[in-house]
Amino acid sequence: YEPVTDPAVLDELWRNGIQILNTIYSHAAKPVEAVRKEVDAVKHHPALLMWVAGNEWNYNGCYLHMDLNHCGDRLNEVAKLVKRYDHQHPVASIYGEAPPLDIIERLDAIDVWGVNYYDELSFGDLFKRFAQRSTKPFFLGEYGADAYDARYSVVNEDAQAHATKLLTQEIMENSAIFPGGICSGGLVFELADEWWKDGDGSPEAQDTGGIAPGGGPFPDRTFNEEWWGLVTLQRVPRKAYYTFASLAIPKPHLVESVLARGGNATEGLRKSCTPQGCTFVPRPLQEFCPVQGCGHLFGEKAHP
């Protein structure tokens, strides 16, 4: 959970229509003052969507087992410092479960709340509970299911795909673009497997096991930490990859204006299709810039 401060990395992301939530602070061993240099390094880059302070910190105590209020106060201090040096981007914090009202009020410098949530095939009343506590923007910082079924000690791609579909649809049904919706989106966990996560295993092999706090994924309520990828370590797509790609975004007709002229959050969209269906994804910058005249972002002359 280190911030991306290399402009070359952000350039490549931006060229492919990707913006990031940049985790500026998660481990309390890091000096608070260190964030200024990191913020200044990339705060003007178009690939930056927002900053993030803290990840599931109610479980890990800012990775130093700090008490809840002490950790929260540290993250609030970080958020204020980020805003002192960057007036353009919001600061989010990611909580495990819906943050209680006293925490939301205590961290008054946090603009957006993310929640990591794993409880089989539904978010239950999560959206309702958050809406009762705050009107600040809300998103799912992590959700999904791993591809290993500990009940039978086998890979279960069908179960992972099923969970990915139902959970993503529930996020979209509660989208903030609908009346009464509060959810600004969600980040499915995760793109590719990570073989290092089981501390009792080898990074050279895909092990079962590993730990993570809270809830439990479908179908076994077991966190098989090295099996969460929509694609394998070798980048071979699993069934969940195709399922996720086939889900259309909410109100797809609303993207027509973005397709025509772009916006602050994207350079325009295009259809991406698999055998299972189509969805919209951002266009690569080089495709859209001839329309927008945005070549100056990379030191090029703008298109006429």
Side-chain angles (χ1 to χ4, degrees), residues 122-144:
S122 175
F123 298 105
D125 62 352
L126 174 64
F127 303 107
K128 178 181 178 181
R129 286 187 286 121
F130 185 85
Q132 291 171 338
R133 300 171 190 176
S134 178
T135 58
K136 290 186 174 182
F138 164 89
F139 67 96
L140 269 300
E142 290 181 15
Y143 76 96

Side-chain angles (χ1 to χ4, degrees), residues 138-166:
F138 164 89
F139 67 96
L140 269 300
E142 290 181 15
Y143 76 96
D146 63 75
Y148 193 84
D149 193 338
R151 300 173 304 171
Y152 309 112
S153 299
V154 296
V155 176
N156 191 340
E157 290 194 19
D158 288 329
Q160 184 192 29
H162 182 59
T164 299
K165 178 179 180 179
L166 293 186

